[in-house]
């Protein structure tokens, strides 16, 4: 398996623009997570899905953030409109069926909002 | 508010030194404790998943212990090598919820 695949690796955009981050989890994994990494707050959980259903989105900072998982092999995290304070590294991770299984992380998307 | 605390924040050691760092977490409603290794410009990779009080896990020169009653875990590196330089993250899983709360990490630099 190629692991968790995220795209793009880097995204530079202007304030107010829409940003879409993409993630392909490992095949067979039932859980998908979106995390954000910042210097101030470390790794923060934004939202996670179980079998394509959003379970907990309490970490999503504002209504400008939304996430979808239309099928088992694809998820998106959208920011509209983007703001400079959204600049961070966004990680997607997936894990298997058991709740004590380790997470497999994608390579992350470095987002810069100017 | 769940607090997962790691200490020290950073650590510089000489090649060959053994070192250890601490992860503290709430002792109530414990479900699992994870350790991840995060190299610069890469993504975090799992080292250990620990669930039982008294658990000890080992992977090469790296080992970890777990005390769920007092809420701490230690990560040990024996004979540190420059390639061990990374940030080591612990993450706490409360009961059966699927929220893995990460600490801020210990950044290790091993000098040749």
């Amino acid at each position: 398996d190629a692991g968790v695949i995220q795209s793009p690796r880097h995204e530079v955009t202007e304030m107010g623009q829409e940003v879409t981050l993409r993630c392909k989890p490992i095949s067979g994994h039932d859980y998908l997570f979106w995390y954000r990494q910042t210097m101030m707050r470390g790794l923060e959980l934004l939202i996670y899905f179980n079998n394509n259903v959003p379970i907990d989105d309490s970490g999503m900072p504002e209504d400008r953030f939304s996430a979808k998982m239309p099928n088992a092999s694809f998820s998106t995290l959208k920011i509209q409109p983007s703001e400079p304070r959204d600049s961070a590294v966004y990680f997607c991770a997936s894990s298997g069926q058991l709740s004590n299984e380790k997470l497999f992380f994608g390579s992350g998307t470095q987002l810069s909002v100017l | 508010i769940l607090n997962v605390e790691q200490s020290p924040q950073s650590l510089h050691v000489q090649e060959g030194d053994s070192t250890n760092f601490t992860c503290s977490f709430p002792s109530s409603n414990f479900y699992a404790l994870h350790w991840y290794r995060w190299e610069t410009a890469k993504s975090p990779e799992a080292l250990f998943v620990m669930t039982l009080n008294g658990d000890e896990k080992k992977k090469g020169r790296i080992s970890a212990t777990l005390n769920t009653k007092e809420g701490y875990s230690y990560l040990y590196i024996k004979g540190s090598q420059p390639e061990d330089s990374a940030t080591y993250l612990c993450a706490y899983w409360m009961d059966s919820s699927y929220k893995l709360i990460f600490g801020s990490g210990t950044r290790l630099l091993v000098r040749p």
Side-chain angles (χ1 to χ4, degrees):
Chain A
D1 200 314
V4 177
I5 299 173
Q6 287 187 249
S7 64
R9 287 295 303 269
H10 303 275
E11 176 81 29
V12 180
T13 190
E14 291 187 348
M15 182 174 66
Q17 296 297 306
E18 178 179 294
V19 174
T20 300
L21 312 181
R22 297 172 177 80
C23 176
K24 182 182 187 311
I26 291 173
S27 176
H29 279 187
D30 290 343
Y31 291 88
L32 183 140
F33 307 81
W34 282 100
Y35 280 89
R36 178 170 68 174
Q37 165 73 13
T38 61
M39 288 293 291
M40 292 296 293
R41 300 172 71 94
L43 263 175
E44 295 178 274
L45 177 64
L46 300 177
I47 184 171
Y48 77 87
F49 296 83
N50 179 20
N51 291 322
N52 314 339
V53 177
I55 302 300
D56 189 329
D57 64 354
S58 59
M60 296 285 261
E62 299 171 34
D63 290 345
R64 298 184 295 106
F65 285 70
S66 62
K68 293 182 179 179
M69 193 165 184
N71 57 62
S73 59
F74 183 66
S75 176
T76 59
L77 178 68
K78 189 176 291 187
I79 308 172
Q80 167 63 20
S82 58
E83 297 182 4
R85 59 195 169 117
D86 301 330
S87 299
V89 181
Y90 291 81
F91 285 100
C92 174
S94 69
S95 71
Q97 297 176 2
L98 298 176
S99 56
N100 60 354
E101 285 194 12
K102 59 187 177 184
L103 267 60
F104 291 83
F105 283 82
S107 52
T109 295
Q110 172 78 58
L111 173 65
S112 297
V113 183
L114 306 177
Chain B
I1 297 175
L2 294 174
N3 255 353
V4 180
E5 297 184 356
Q6 291 188 246
S7 63
Q9 198 170 19
S10 66
L11 194 55
H12 294 188
V13 301
Q14 207 63 35
E15 181 177 355
D17 288 349
S18 293
T19 187
N20 66 85
F21 5 104
T22 306
C23 173
S24 301
F25 52 87
S27 56
S28 58
N29 301 318
F30 175 84
Y31 196 75
L33 193 283
H34 292 212
W35 280 100
Y36 289 82
R37 182 171 177 272
W38 193 358
E39 289 183 71
T40 303
K42 294 187 179 180
S43 50
E45 290 186 3
L47 288 171
F48 306 114
V49 175
M50 309 173 79
T51 56
L52 298 175
N53 185 43
D55 248 358
E56 289 189 29
K57 300 244 175 168
K58 189 175 181 182
K59 188 176 183 178
R61 295 179 290 99
I62 304 177
S63 60
T65 60
L66 178 66
N67 183 324
T68 61
K69 292 184 179 179
E70 296 182 41
Y72 65 84
S73 175
Y74 293 136
L75 188 78
Y76 301 91
I77 302 179
K78 185 178 178 181
S80 303
Q81 299 297 308
E83 58 264 31
D84 296 329
S85 298
T87 296
Y88 291 83
L89 296 167
C90 72
Y92 163 78
W93 215 311
M94 181 180 72
D95 53 59
S96 59
S97 70
Y98 239 85
K99 297 185 79 164
L100 195 59
I101 309 298
F102 280 85
S104 53
T106 292
R107 188 173 178 181
L108 175 67
L109 177 63
V110 182
R111 295 197 181 95

